[in-house]
């Protein structure tokens, strides 16, 4: 059971289909592991659908929501099951949405190792964001750092701690650009994370505009 979730803004933006691909991938992967957030997103989508019933055909033909629903079609029911030993897991370590981005196995990625930390890019780097997997050896500290955009980290195996808390499989850690932090991986197994650095969230498009007033409650 996950204890650290994406923000409500992130879930709304995801439900509205207005999220950048890297962050949408991170949220979709969290949803595969978190029934609580799946329900919340489903509620936002239902709400958006009701609002849209009174809108123009042009709005109804928007494929944003359809894309989101497609992404949600494959929640990973087995995700909450106890994990088999690492050696036997193969790509099952990766929830379904993420597996689609990793051709072959985790080990086939182009890992760059520096000390106890290895990184592999998942999507081409763009101006605002980087999308990568990180594999951190047990008890390794990530050098203190800050970042231009916000940094979103989703734990896939193992865990880590920083001054904001302890994060394990399914948990999302969000660090804004002002935050200097120094995460340390748990003892035991490697900590594998999906890490996305992105510009601040923006609300764009008709469905996002319909949903954004919800944030002002
Ligand atoms: Zn959640």
């Amino acid at each position: 059971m996950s204890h650290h979730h994406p923000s409500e803004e992130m879930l709304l933006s995801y439900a509205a289909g207005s999220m950048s691909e890297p962050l949408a991938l991170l949220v979709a992967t969290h949803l595969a592991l978190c029934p609580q957030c799946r329900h919340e997103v489903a509620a936002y989508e239902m709400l958006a659908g009701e609002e849209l019933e009174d809108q123009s055909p042009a709005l109804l033909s928007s494929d944003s929501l359809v894309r989101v629903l497609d992404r949600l079609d494959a929640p990973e029911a087995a995700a909450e099951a106890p994990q088999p030993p690492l050696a036997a897991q193969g790509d099952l370590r990766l929830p379904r949405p993420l597996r689609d981005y990793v051709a072959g196995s985790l080990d086939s990625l182009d890992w760059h190792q520096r000390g106890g930390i290895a990184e592999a890019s998942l999507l081409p780097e763009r101006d605002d964001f980087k999308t990568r997997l990180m594999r951190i050896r047990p008890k390794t500290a990530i050098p203190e750092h800050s970042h231009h955009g916000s940094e979103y980290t989703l734990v896939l195996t193992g865990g880590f701690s920083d001054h904001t808390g302890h994060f394990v499989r399914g948990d999302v850690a969000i660090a804004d650009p002002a935050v200097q932090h120094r995460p340390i991986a748990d003892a035991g197994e490697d900590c594998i994370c999906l890490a996305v650095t992105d510009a601040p969230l923006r609300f764009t498009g008709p469905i996002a505009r319909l949903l954004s007033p919800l944030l002002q409650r």
Side-chain angles (χ1 to χ4, degrees):
M1 162 100 81
S2 182
H3 290 100
H4 300 276
H5 307 272
S7 66
E8 199 174 353
E9 286 89 344
M10 290 174 74
L11 295 180
L12 272 170
S13 178
Y14 180 88
S18 67
M19 217 168 212
S20 64
E21 186 181 7
L23 270 186
L25 170 62
L26 184 133
V27 172
T29 306
H30 174 78
L31 293 180
L33 299 170
C34 182
Q36 187 182 329
C37 287
R38 274 207 300 277
H39 288 141
E40 200 169 326
V41 166
Y44 292 147
E45 285 166 348
M46 205 179 297
L47 207 60
E50 284 166 10
E51 295 283 338
L52 284 172
E53 277 174 12
D54 298 328
Q55 305 293 320
S56 69
L59 264 180
L60 280 172
S61 73
S62 161
D63 63 352
S64 303
L65 204 54
V66 175
R67 281 203 316 273
V68 168
L69 289 169
D70 282 347
R71 284 204 295 258
L72 279 176
D73 271 342
E76 192 169 77
E80 299 289 312
Q83 294 184 46
L86 258 187
Q89 286 178 47
D91 286 352
L92 295 179
R93 284 177 287 183
L94 304 174
R96 175 69 197 283
L98 195 52
R99 225 179 294 159
D100 294 343
Y101 283 79
V102 180
S105 72
L106 269 184
D107 296 328
S108 71
L109 290 174
D110 187 16
W111 292 97
H112 295 270
Q113 185 86 36
R114 256 180 317 180
I117 302 167
E119 287 186 20
S121 288
L122 271 195
L123 287 166
E125 220 170 282
R126 285 201 232 155
D127 298 342
D128 287 347
F129 55 79
K130 289 200 281 193
T131 311
R132 63 224 147 100
L133 285 174
M134 298 183 71
R135 190 176 57 205
I136 306 150
R137 286 202 192 119
K139 292 175 140 178
T140 300
I142 299 175
E144 190 163 21
H145 62 287
S146 57
H147 10 77
H148 294 301
S150 292
E151 185 185 67
Y152 305 84
T153 308
L154 170 69
V155 179
L156 299 165
T157 69
F160 71 84
S161 298
D162 67 12
H163 68 284
T164 65
H166 182 222
F167 299 85
V168 296
R169 180 170 166 85
D171 283 338
V172 175
I174 303 169
D176 71 46
V179 172
Q180 288 262 343
H181 66 145
R182 189 168 185 273
I184 298 178
D186 290 357
E189 62 179 316
D190 282 356
C191 178
I192 299 177
C193 298
L194 172 64
V196 175
T197 314
D198 202 353
L201 292 173
R202 288 176 296 268
F203 286 90
T204 55
I207 300 175
R209 279 197 297 276
L210 283 170
L211 286 174
S212 58
L214 291 172
L215 293 174
Q216 285 143 30
R217 282 175 305 178

